[in-house]
Amino acid sequence: MTINCNGKLIDLSTPKVMGILNCTPDSFYDGGKYRNESQFLSQVEKMLSDGANFVDIGAYSSKPNAQFVSEEEELNRLLPVIELVLKTFPETIISVDTFRSKIAQSAIENGAAIINDISAGNLDENMLETVAKLQVPYIMMHMKGTPQTMQTLTQYDNICKEMLFYFSERVGKARSFGINDIIIDPGFGFAKTLEQNYEVMQKLELFQMLELPLLVGISRKSMIYKTLETTAENSLNGTTFLNAISLQKGANILRVHDVKEAVEGVKLFNKLNQI
């Protein structure tokens, strides 16, 4: 349960929190919210002071039916923000949310420490080889299709069984390339109906049989706000509740927009487990 991030060993046996920083104009919750250096730095400073262990930076929105973004555009959005963050907060452990090997390589060469791939290598045949060469932790998520097509690909006979088979195959492939530090992400909201998302949440502890760290990213997603008949903006309470369930079922990393609340939840969870 230990991962090596730029030479720093991070123990995931106690849960950690990953803050989300989107460099996109169209992300579902905070798209276009950060437009200049001071806004990016203010948000990163807040996340770090609130206790974030990692900052996950993405420059390609992966929400359903997201607009296609060229590699050049993704890189132009991403690299200046990585440089800015590390120049101001050099100890920050940056995860980069990309499914493209060229973006992954450039990001790591510019100081990022983790690759977070929504496709588990399925959308770029060079990704696994690239991550292996870079020798960085790799987050692989469950998804079918692409962000543009995934919501039409929600047919499963047994969703959790099929997801476990998917991860077994992808982990085996990653290991064959020599990737050591692997984290799995069930991909809430990706190629799953609302009911399927809750089935996966209900059976989340099944993924512990893979014996790998588990990342849960449900922050302000539609599975929360549609169920509560509200909006992403009003879904913090629902997020906190499901994050608590996730921790109880074995989550090692919570990927969130709201770091302070998640860190407080982890502290309470840890206290409960000390008794």
Side-chain angles (χ1 to χ4, degrees):
M1 285 293 166
T2 301
I3 59 172
N4 187 335
C5 300
N6 284 341
K8 187 182 296 184
L9 293 179
I10 307 296
D11 181 7
L12 299 180
S13 61
T14 55
K16 301 294 185 282
V17 174
M18 175 179 283
I20 300 168
L21 186 70
N22 284 317
C23 313
T24 52
D26 57 343
S27 289
F28 78 94
Y29 169 60
D30 56 359
K33 189 174 180 181
Y34 313 113
R35 296 177 180 275
N36 56 50
E37 290 188 359
S38 65
Q39 288 174 332
F40 278 114
L41 288 177
S42 175
Q43 178 63 7
V44 172
E45 183 177 30
K46 183 179 189 309
M47 289 194 291
L48 294 175
S49 64
D50 285 343
N53 305 101
F54 315 101
V55 174
D56 190 50
I57 304 178
Y60 186 130
S61 174
S62 55
K63 70 178 183 180
N65 302 310
Q67 284 190 331
F68 176 84
V69 176
S70 68
E71 282 194 0
E72 183 181 15
E73 175 68 15
E74 186 178 358
L75 210 57
N76 288 341
R77 291 176 180 177
L78 185 65
L79 291 187
V81 178
I82 293 175
E83 182 182 352
L84 179 67
V85 170
L86 291 176
K87 181 179 178 183
T88 312
F89 308 106
E91 297 301 308
T92 308
I93 300 175
I94 292 177
S95 164
V96 169
D97 185 355
T98 187
F99 56 82
R100 290 165 164 162
S101 59
K102 288 182 181 177
I103 307 295
Q105 174 131 8
S106 295
I108 298 300
E109 289 172 350
N110 282 272
I114 302 170
I115 298 303
N116 181 9
D117 179 2
I118 61 170
S119 80
N122 282 319
L123 293 180
D124 185 331
E125 62 182 11
N126 297 315
M127 179 61 98
L128 297 181
E129 182 181 3
T130 299
V131 173
K133 285 179 181 176
L134 295 169
Q135 278 299 301
V136 294
Y138 183 54
I139 302 167
M140 54 168 60
M141 194 186 79
H142 174 267
M143 179 180 73
K144 293 198 290 187
T146 68
Q148 291 77 23
T149 65
M150 62 185 179
Q151 291 313 104
T152 66
L153 301 171
T154 59
Q155 296 78 33
Y156 303 89
D157 292 326
N158 182 323
I159 186 168
C160 289
K161 185 177 179 180
E162 290 177 45
M163 287 174 66
L164 285 166
F165 180 82
Y166 168 97
F167 280 122
S168 296
E169 188 273 331
R170 298 316 296 166
V171 170
K173 191 93 180 277
R175 295 282 193 225
S176 74
F177 278 95
I179 299 175
N180 295 317
D181 294 345
I182 299 173
I183 298 161
I184 60 168
D185 175 355
F188 288 100
F190 289 78
K192 297 169 188 71
T193 65
L194 189 144
E195 290 76 17
Q196 288 166 346
N197 282 313
Y198 280 95
E199 181 178 351
V200 173
M201 176 62 72
Q202 186 185 46
K203 299 175 180 176
L204 195 63
E205 62 271 16
L206 290 176
F207 295 94
Q208 291 187 47
M209 71 175 62
L210 295 165
E211 298 183 335
L212 291 168
L214 177 66
L215 179 148
V216 169
I218 50 163
S219 182
R220 298 182 180 269
K221 285 187 173 178
S222 63
M223 65 180 283
I224 298 171
Y225 66 75
K226 286 182 178 177
T227 301
L228 299 178
E229 298 180 353
T230 184
T231 62
E233 288 72 23
N234 292 315
S235 296
L236 177 55
N237 186 50
T239 298
T240 299
F241 178 81
L242 288 185
N243 277 339
I245 300 295
S246 302
L247 291 171
Q248 286 188 315
K249 289 178 173 286
N252 303 97
I253 301 174
L254 299 177
R255 182 180 181 272
V256 298
H257 298 92
D258 309 278
V259 169
K260 179 175 181 288
E261 290 79 2
V263 168
E264 288 178 349
V266 168
K267 284 182 180 177
L268 294 174
F269 174 79
N270 289 339
K271 185 68 174 177
L272 193 63
N273 286 334
Q274 288 172 3
I275 305 302

